[in-house]
Amino acid sequence: MSEQNDNATATEHETETGTETAPDIDALKNEVAKWRTMSRKHEANAKATSKQLEELQAANLSDAEKAIAEARAEGERTAVTKLSTRLASAELTAEAAKAGAQLPDVEFINFGKFVGTDGDVDADAVKAFVKSLPKVGGKPKFDPDALGGSGDGSGSKVRQLTRDDLKRMNFEQIEEARKKGQLNDLLGIS
């Protein structure tokens, strides 16, 4: 009997020191793998059973119930389409503002082209489209100096020419503009 107690004490001592823990870890790993495999098997069975149940329920629907289900699905598709085009419009507007580009009028844009089959906005298509748009210059649509005045209604300032204007003029026209004071801003004359 004392020999059995000595063996039990030695086994307990070995377990506490960690010499016998390696087989326990392997056994635990095997047990985890077994349960994981069983879980995946049962999950696959549950999915298949769920699909069969849906098919049976769909087959057992009356004509009225089928029409209701079809109308509900069509309503969902319509709602997703409307919201997706609104989202595409918002993303186009935001992307154009960020890039400093001018969007064409809304009636000329087919927002459906920017929505994928899953209803999500295609960000790459939006960016490519915005990249192809002309950039907005810093100039207002109406040039206040276009009528020869300063834009304040007094007409006191002579219309000043820009470097782009000069590129389209010959030497005589540039000299005439200088004499009229139309180059004062470019020349730094007040």
Side-chain angles (χ1 to χ4, degrees):
M1 179 91 175
S2 69
E3 190 175 306
Q4 288 178 343
N5 285 343
D6 288 341
N7 285 342
T9 307
T11 304
E12 288 175 8
H13 180 68
E14 287 177 8
T15 303
E16 288 176 11
T17 60
T19 57
E20 198 175 298
T21 58
D24 290 340
I25 291 175
D26 289 337
L28 290 174
K29 286 181 180 179
N30 290 337
E31 190 73 16
V32 167
K34 177 182 91 172
W35 284 103
R36 183 177 296 137
T37 304
M38 288 174 50
S39 173
R40 288 185 180 147
K41 175 183 162 189
H42 291 297
E43 186 177 310
N45 287 341
K47 284 182 181 179
T49 305
S50 175
K51 187 173 184 176
Q52 287 176 348
L53 177 63
E54 287 177 10
E55 290 172 357
L56 285 173
Q57 286 175 341
N60 291 332
L61 290 178
S62 68
D63 290 338
E65 290 172 329
K66 287 180 183 178
I68 290 172
E70 191 175 313
R72 182 175 291 137
E74 179 62 30
E76 287 176 5
R77 284 191 297 271
T78 302
V80 166
T81 301
K82 284 184 179 181
L83 290 175
S84 295
T85 55
R86 279 188 171 180
L87 183 60
S89 171
E91 287 202 24
L92 270 172
T93 304
E95 195 68 33
K98 187 168 72 173
Q102 178 75 33
L103 277 178
D105 289 336
V106 194
E107 61 263 11
F108 299 118
I109 300 175
N110 180 1
F111 293 108
K113 295 280 186 181
F114 302 104
V115 179
T117 56
D118 58 354
D120 289 336
V121 175
D122 184 0
D124 294 333
V126 169
K127 287 180 182 177
F129 178 71
V130 169
K131 194 179 240 185
S132 72
L133 295 173
K135 304 292 183 224
V136 176
K139 297 180 182 179
K141 289 184 176 180
F142 173 71
D143 184 6
D145 292 330
L147 300 175
S150 62
D152 61 3
S154 65
S156 61
K157 185 177 175 188
V158 175
R159 179 180 173 268
Q160 296 295 300
L161 298 176
T162 64
R163 292 188 185 276
D164 289 332
D165 294 331
L166 291 176
K167 289 178 184 176
R168 294 182 296 248
M169 298 171 69
N170 62 31
F171 178 77
E172 290 82 22
Q173 292 170 326
I174 293 173
E175 187 60 30
E176 183 67 29
R178 186 189 61 77
K179 289 178 183 175
K180 290 181 180 177
Q182 292 179 313
L183 301 177
N184 288 352
D185 286 352
L186 288 175
L187 297 173
I189 301 171
S190 349

